[in-house]
Amino acid sequence: MKFLLLVALASSATAATDSTPWPTGNRTTPPTINMVSPLGIARGTTAEVIVEGLNLAQASAIYFSQAGVAAKIVRIKELPDQPDMRLGANGGASTVDLGPLPPRNQVALELTLSPDANIGPVEFRLHTPLGTTPEARIVIEPKDGETLDREPNETPAEAVEAKTPTILVGRISRPGDVDYYKIHIHAGEQLTFYNSGPLLGSPLQPVITIYDAAQRKVKEFGRAGGMDTVRFACTFENEGDYYVRVSDFQNSGNAGRLYRIAVGHYPLLLSAYPLGVTKDKATEVTLRGYNLGMEKFTVSGLPAQNDSRSVSLRPHTASGDTFNELRLALGEGPEVESSGTNTTTAKAQDITGPMTINGRLLAAENNFRFRARKGEKLVFETNARRLGSPLDSVLEVMDAAGKPVERATVRCLAETFTTLSDRDSATAGLRFLSTDGYRVGDYTMIGGEIIQVQAMPRGPDDDMQYVSFEGQRIGMWDTTPEAHAIDTPVYRVKIFPPGQTFAPNGLPVAHLAYSNDDGGPGYGKDSHLPFTAPADGVYVLRLRDIRGFHGEDYAYRLSIRPPQPDFGLSARPTNPNVPEGGRIPVTITALRLDDFDGAIEIKLEGLPSGLHATKGIIEPGQVNTTILLSADVGARLERAVPLQIIGRATIGTRLVAHRADPEDPLQLVALMPKPDITMTAETKKVVVAPGGTATVEVSIQRHNSFAGRVPIDVRNLPPGVLVTDVGLNGVLINENESRRTFKIEALPTATPITQPLILSGEIETRADGQQTAYAAEAVILEVKPQLSPRSEK
């Protein structure tokens, strides 16, 4: 379990002001952290940690994500400005004016770790008069000392000598760079290697090659990616000197490609089976790993932690707690074992739901036979990758003879091609040669994915926008988004029931089967497949890996159950800094599960005196809402307080409540001074009919000598309502303006609704990812019912 630990600190440092005139005046840059050094601290020690960033003067407190960590600030100083090198979207110099360079500060922390602090990452935030910083991270390491990369060490003759146990610390700092270390090994000795670089955000995919004294290759790890880039072990047959070579898989390099590789006799977990336990029931778990000293670990039934459906544990071994956590699912219903012989349709294992099946994919596929009545709805779900298994599952429903069960027929109506550039599998925007005939709500088929239009291009140099969730394009009908190269065929399609036939139109007809690879938001590489039985009968559920991989480590939990509508919540920002006398927007997003589409009431609880929050509703058919968090003039808050956003919904006969981001212990609300702008919604209410438009006006008042431009964001737009008549920059109040009018349009498909619109203005700063938006009071939007022609007369 994680804890929130606050250490109050005092500092006499003051923020410096830059008196140099700037064309667009000053602006308030939120506190940010750009660098932490060192990144690893040995438990049971006290060390000085240097934190550098913007506007960290007068930092007064530190908040940690777990117990066993204490700190105090020992000094704060201002640093010289660095060159302001910023690139724009085209790769050239950015033309966006971010104002004068804010003060750059260095904060020295005296950090003390208890001897029993958990090995692994610890997040922290600093608290300043401008609010809290984004999360920064260090890793807690064993007390074994470090062996530092010392250039040149690119050949065995130049190798840095290391005495195990130790932590190899270095960077692959330029293309072609390699680092050699020399270690002495006893005959039969097994060493474990654990690289914490990925936990610190390092993009390095290390290839770690071990050579003997004669430069013969003994073993190589990491070239295929996967967990070998993080943890592995090597057994040495003979005593002698060996060389550890660290390189980059892509033969690339830069200052960010760091590694911290602990080498010793550490207890490392590789896998566990089964991947879950039943609540309130003791379960014996089989462990695989190194230096564990045990094969079995008994887990008593545990309640879900922090509204979670899983629990994290560290088994205790003769060598101490394991380096890495064991994450187990928490189950509630019946559980059975996969037979292991169910490797073909003919050998499918008989199952009846609801149940959870624990298994290992030891062959190319596992098959399960079940019965269903016509119209019966079932949900099949794998839980594997989320629990540390390497399985990238695919689920498919077959009939009794092993033939895929068709779900829908896809008729192509028009063809075009992707253009401009290749696109990845996440982005919501795609560019086509032609968008003729498209409307919002239409379906598009590209490769094996089907996606739905959310917004049409705003001009000839704009993308078609597709339905997405927190930056991830959504595949409809349980298809999986894919990367697409330029000139890939694109089809506007219509979805029909299975078995439908059409007169030929020269374009393909596709047949969608009940199949799912990646389950979408919340599931990652795990599969989630809703199924409606087309007829009474026997069906077969096939489980395989999309790459054809299988083996002892490819464990899974496969559930078969009726739909269980539910939801999860996330909030952005997670550390809102609320301006005195101002208001900011906080957007809450719902992950709707098993087709739950009810209203979710949102409330921010536990605010201290002087702070206020509006309530919100995530309406049916929507996935987010924005509430307003404000502070009175004269409000005072000595320290940050927990951010507690609760969502409540009625699901069937149950009242269900969930907290947003339940596993994040560093959700904090803090105060900051008066904002650079005060926004006013000059339009208080907007009434629009489907197919119609309405005008909205917003104004700003500038403070703190701010004179820059202000991009305006319109939040809480219901489906079918769009902002129109804007260019690629969106709604924008320029430097010499104080107000802006814009139009909203209700598409003919818009449904009647009344809900608040939130207008927020962005202060463009160098604080990427921080709260820099300030909001006006809510505007009431009413979409009127469509009147019939007779009614209009």
Side-chain angles (χ1 to χ4, degrees):
M1 178 179 291
K2 290 186 176 180
F3 299 86
L4 175 63
L5 180 64
L6 165 66
V7 183
L9 305 149
S11 172
S12 59
T14 58
T17 59
D18 187 351
S19 59
T20 304
W22 194 266
T24 57
N26 295 317
R27 65 197 65 207
T28 302
T29 300
T32 63
I33 294 177
N34 299 329
M35 189 276 290
V36 179
S37 179
L39 291 169
I41 310 294
R43 62 180 174 184
T45 66
T46 296
E48 182 172 277
V49 175
I50 300 299
V51 180
E52 292 183 4
L54 304 177
N55 275 331
L56 300 180
Q58 301 184 53
S60 59
I62 311 175
Y63 303 86
F64 291 102
S65 61
Q66 72 173 49
V69 188
K72 65 179 179 179
I73 292 177
V74 293
R75 63 183 180 276
I76 302 176
K77 68 178 183 179
E78 187 166 342
L79 300 174
D81 292 338
Q82 291 181 327
D84 189 18
M85 301 289 291
R86 294 179 292 109
L87 298 180
N90 62 357
S94 173
T95 60
V96 177
D97 181 4
L98 301 182
L101 290 170
R104 190 167 71 95
N105 305 107
Q106 182 186 90
V107 181
L109 308 176
E110 184 181 281
L111 200 67
T112 301
L113 303 181
S114 69
D116 57 352
N118 284 332
I119 297 291
V122 176
E123 291 78 24
F124 68 91
R125 297 187 194 270
L126 291 178
H127 190 194
T128 78
L130 296 177
T132 62
T133 66
E135 289 185 10
R137 175 178 283 188
I138 59 172
V139 291
I140 299 176
E141 297 174 328
K143 192 178 178 181
D144 291 329
E146 299 178 347
T147 301
L148 301 179
D149 171 19
R150 186 178 63 249
E151 298 291 347
N153 62 340
E154 297 183 350
T155 66
E158 300 167 326
V160 178
E161 290 201 26
K163 183 177 180 180
T164 60
T166 189
I167 300 169
L168 308 181
V169 178
R171 300 173 189 269
I172 303 301
S173 56
R174 63 186 185 281
D177 186 18
V178 298
D179 294 338
Y180 274 88
Y181 298 89
K182 181 180 179 180
I183 56 177
H184 186 81
I185 302 294
H186 299 290
E189 185 175 5
Q190 182 188 69
L191 289 180
T192 52
F193 294 72
Y194 186 85
N195 176 27
S196 59
L199 297 173
L200 297 166
S202 173
L204 175 68
Q205 180 181 323
V207 176
I208 300 172
T209 312
I210 298 174
Y211 298 92
D212 64 14
Q215 299 306 301
R216 293 185 294 261
K217 183 188 292 187
V218 176
K219 200 80 172 178
E220 185 175 77
F221 302 90
R223 189 165 296 278
M227 293 312 298
D228 274 358
T229 64
V230 178
R231 60 179 186 260
F232 59 88
C234 184
T235 300
F236 300 83
E237 294 183 5
N238 304 311
E239 182 172 357
D241 291 335
Y242 290 81
Y243 295 89
V244 178
R245 180 183 186 266
V246 184
S247 61
D248 178 62
F249 169 73
Q250 297 178 322
N251 203 34
S252 182
N254 55 50
R257 295 179 183 266
L258 63 91
Y259 58 86
R260 299 185 66 89
I261 305 173
V263 184
H265 304 97
Y266 305 120
L268 289 183
L269 278 171
L270 292 182
S271 63
Y273 184 82
L275 295 177
V277 298
T278 304
K279 291 182 182 179
D280 304 320
K281 180 181 178 182
T283 303
E284 189 174 70
V285 177
T286 300
L287 304 178
R288 288 185 66 245
Y290 306 114
N291 302 319
L292 300 180
M294 59 182 182
E295 293 183 355
K296 304 292 184 180
F297 177 68
T298 300
V299 181
S300 299
L302 297 171
Q305 292 180 351
N306 298 325
D307 200 21
S308 174
R309 298 183 179 186
S310 62
V311 61
S312 293
L313 304 169
R314 288 179 184 263
H316 185 74
T317 74
S319 303
D321 291 345
T322 56
F323 249 48
N324 43 339
E325 288 186 335
L326 172 64
R327 192 167 187 85
L328 298 172
L330 289 171
E332 295 181 335
E335 301 201 3
V336 300
E337 287 283 319
S338 173
S339 66
T341 61
N342 52 349
T343 55
T344 65
T345 302
K347 297 179 180 179
Q349 178 179 351
D350 289 322
I351 58 172
T352 57
M355 67 166 49
T356 296
I357 304 157
N358 293 293
R360 291 185 176 101
L361 191 64
L362 300 176
E365 60 187 59
N366 283 172
N367 295 270
F368 303 91
R369 185 183 296 108
F370 66 95
R371 291 184 174 275
R373 301 182 305 277
K374 181 178 181 178
E376 183 179 0
K377 294 182 182 295
L378 295 171
V379 176
F380 308 110
E381 179 183 323
T382 56
N383 197 350
R385 186 64 69 90
R386 287 171 289 172
L387 298 171
S389 170
L391 178 68
D392 185 353
S393 62
V394 178
L395 289 177
E396 302 161 291
V397 178
M398 329 293 287
D399 64 17
K403 180 181 177 182
V405 177
E406 188 172 334
R407 181 178 188 177
T409 306
V410 183
R411 189 185 192 197
C412 298
L413 304 175
E415 182 182 32
T416 184
F417 297 87
T418 59
T419 188
L420 185 64
S421 63
D422 299 344
R423 299 297 170 102
D424 61 25
S425 61
T427 180
L430 299 174
R431 186 77 60 90
F432 304 146
L433 285 175
S434 172
T435 59
D436 291 347
Y438 273 96
R439 297 181 302 173
V440 170
D442 283 350
Y443 290 110
T444 299
M445 183 172 71
I446 315 178
E449 72 171 302
I450 295 178
I451 49 181
Q452 188 174 29
V453 177
Q454 182 164 333
M456 296 294 294
R458 295 172 293 181
D461 294 324
D462 195 19
D463 292 343
M464 182 97 80
Q465 296 297 315
Y466 283 88
V467 174
S468 63
F469 183 90
E470 293 195 324
Q472 171 64 59
R473 190 167 73 246
I474 300 297
M476 301 296 170
W477 300 85
D478 299 307
T479 60
T480 298
E482 305 166 348
H484 301 292
I486 192 171
D487 293 329
T488 297
V490 177
Y491 301 97
R492 179 167 59 86
V493 300
K494 190 171 182 180
I495 312 297
F496 293 90
Q500 193 92 2
T501 59
F502 315 96
N505 64 356
L507 296 174
V509 174
H511 300 276
L512 287 182
Y514 277 102
S515 174
N516 179 250
D517 175 10
D518 299 342
Y523 295 95
K525 294 294 184 181
D526 289 334
S527 303
H528 178 266
L529 180 61
F531 171 70
T532 302
D536 292 353
V538 174
Y539 299 90
V540 173
L541 178 66
R542 176 178 295 165
L543 168 67
R544 59 185 177 87
D545 185 277
I546 188 67
R547 304 156 299 181
F549 295 168
H550 50 85
E552 191 75 18
D553 290 339
Y554 286 72
Y556 62 83
R557 283 171 65 83
L558 172 62
S559 64
I560 172 173
R561 56 177 172 77
Q564 296 174 347
D566 205 344
F567 64 93
L569 296 175
S570 61
R572 296 295 180 271
T574 57
N575 66 318
N577 297 321
V578 190
E580 180 188 353
R583 63 177 74 86
I584 62 171
V586 178
T587 296
I588 299 92
T589 301
L591 176 62
R592 295 183 178 273
L593 304 173
D594 286 1
D595 296 326
F596 171 65
D597 198 33
I600 305 172
E601 297 182 358
I602 302 297
K603 185 178 180 182
L604 202 159
E605 299 181 350
L607 285 177
S609 176
L611 271 68
H612 312 278
T614 60
K615 296 179 181 180
I617 297 178
I618 302 178
E619 299 282 359
Q622 302 183 34
V623 296
N624 55 46
T625 190
T626 298
I627 63 174
L628 296 175
L629 184 53
S630 60
D632 295 338
V633 174
R636 293 293 178 265
L637 191 60
E638 294 301 320
R639 67 179 200 176
V641 297
L643 175 66
Q644 302 179 67
I645 296 176
I646 308 297
R648 295 178 173 86
T650 299
I651 303 178
T653 59
R654 300 178 298 130
L655 178 62
V656 177
H658 294 302
R659 179 174 175 174
D661 302 298
E663 295 185 342
D664 182 358
L666 289 179
Q667 300 177 84
L668 299 172
V669 180
L671 278 177
M672 61 172 287
K674 185 176 182 180
D676 290 344
I677 57 170
T678 301
M679 294 194 63
T680 302
E682 303 293 345
T683 305
K684 307 301 181 186
K685 184 175 182 179
V686 178
V687 180
V688 64
T693 62
T695 299
V696 179
E697 184 175 11
V698 61
S699 66
I700 61 170
Q701 183 179 359
R702 302 173 190 270
H703 311 292
N704 306 329
S705 301
F706 171 69
R709 71 176 194 174
V710 179
I712 304 298
D713 191 15
V714 183
R715 311 191 191 194
N716 264 20
L717 285 167
V721 180
L722 311 172
V723 177
T724 62
D725 74 346
V726 295
L728 295 180
N729 287 327
V731 181
L732 183 67
I733 297 178
N734 290 308
E735 292 86 346
N736 59 348
E737 299 174 330
S738 61
R739 61 183 60 230
R740 173 67 64 193
T741 60
F742 59 91
K743 290 185 181 297
I744 62 169
E745 176 185 2
L747 299 176
T749 56
T751 56
I753 196 170
T754 299
Q755 70 180 54
L757 293 184
I758 303 299
L759 311 178
S760 64
E762 185 79 17
I763 305 299
E764 296 169 311
T765 74
R766 293 167 177 79
D768 292 338
Q770 275 281 63
Q771 166 66 50
T772 55
Y774 307 96
E777 65 273 35
V779 176
I780 301 302
L781 168 69
E782 180 184 352
V783 180
K784 298 190 301 184
Q786 179 69 61
L787 299 177
S788 65
R790 182 181 300 274
S791 300
E792 291 175 349
K793 293 180 181 179

